[in-house]
Amino acid sequence: MINVSEALEPLAAWFRSLGIPQPIVEWGHPVMMGIVVVVMGSYVAWTGWRGRLAQDKDESFNNRMSHRLLAPWMFFFLAAGYPGGVLSLVMQRHPIFESPHFWTGSLVLILLLINSLLTLGGFGGDKPTLRTTHAYLGSGILGLLVIHGVLGLI
């Protein structure tokens, strides 16, 4: 079985050889992902719920469109940041699979993928139950991201 840390060590060693300051190695990933989660995540959640709850049809439509446009970008940035977080662990010589932060990050991406599949499937023909599942799962993922952030800081 391949050891992921060992496989990534040559890349981590190359990045270490660049003389990147330790605060950037240690805090670059948390700062960038924190921005994505706080700014994009809160906006995606807010527009999603405003789209569901707004009484005015135009307001609901505009919020749903904003949600629909930004949510895939949030998923993209989180998925793009994932390997950076793993590489940061290797660069700092922390064991990857012993990190609860690694496991919560992995779970977040899996759940986001599942939630995305609900939308790509048109909510099974616009079934209210699947729309509700999407809303609550998305909110739960945002809560998990908060836990994920805390685990990354301790």
Side-chain angles (χ1 to χ4, degrees), residues 49 52 115 118 123 127-138:
W49 280 102
R52 282 181 65 82
N115 221 20
L118 289 174
F123 298 105
K127 292 181 181 167
T129 304
L130 291 179
R131 283 191 172 277
T132 300
T133 300
H134 174 79
Y136 283 101
L137 181 56

Side-chain angles (χ1 to χ4, degrees), residues 60-141:
S60 176
F61 176 78
N62 290 336
N63 278 290
R64 285 178 191 244
M65 289 309 297
S66 293
H67 178 80
R68 192 174 295 153
L69 291 172
L70 193 57
W73 285 106
M74 185 187 90
F75 179 71
F76 171 78
F77 285 123
L78 289 174
Y82 181 90
V86 171
L87 186 59
S88 177
L89 285 172
V90 176
M91 288 177 69
Q92 296 174 73
R93 294 184 169 83
H94 294 302
I96 296 170
F97 297 118
E98 292 177 22
S99 167
H101 185 72
F102 168 81
W103 292 109
T104 56
S106 300
L107 182 58
V108 160
L109 289 180
I110 291 166
L111 292 174
L112 280 172
L113 180 60
I114 291 168
N115 221 20
S116 299
L117 292 174
L118 289 174
T119 67
L120 293 174
F123 298 105
D126 205 25
K127 292 181 181 167
T129 304
L130 291 179
R131 283 191 172 277
T132 300
T133 300
H134 174 79
Y136 283 101
L137 181 56
S139 295
I141 293 167

Side-chain angles (χ1 to χ4, degrees), residues 1-16 83 86-91 94-97:
M1 184 169 175
I2 188 166
N3 182 316
V4 176
S5 293
E6 286 178 17
L8 292 175
E9 182 53 38
L11 183 58
W14 180 78
F15 275 107
R16 278 191 222 99
V86 171
L87 186 59
S88 177
L89 285 172
V90 176
M91 288 177 69
H94 294 302
I96 296 170
F97 297 118

Side-chain angles (χ1 to χ4, degrees), residues 20-66:
I20 299 170
Q22 184 59 26
I24 292 176
V25 171
E26 189 171 340
W27 294 102
H29 173 78
V31 168
M32 299 309 284
M33 293 297 95
I35 291 168
V36 171
V37 170
V38 171
V39 175
M40 293 181 90
S42 60
Y43 186 76
V44 166
W46 184 75
T47 56
W49 280 102
R50 293 288 300 160
R52 282 181 65 82
L53 301 175
Q55 298 298 317
D56 181 71
K57 288 191 185 288
D58 288 336
E59 181 183 354
S60 176
F61 176 78
N62 290 336
N63 278 290
R64 285 178 191 244
M65 289 309 297
S66 293

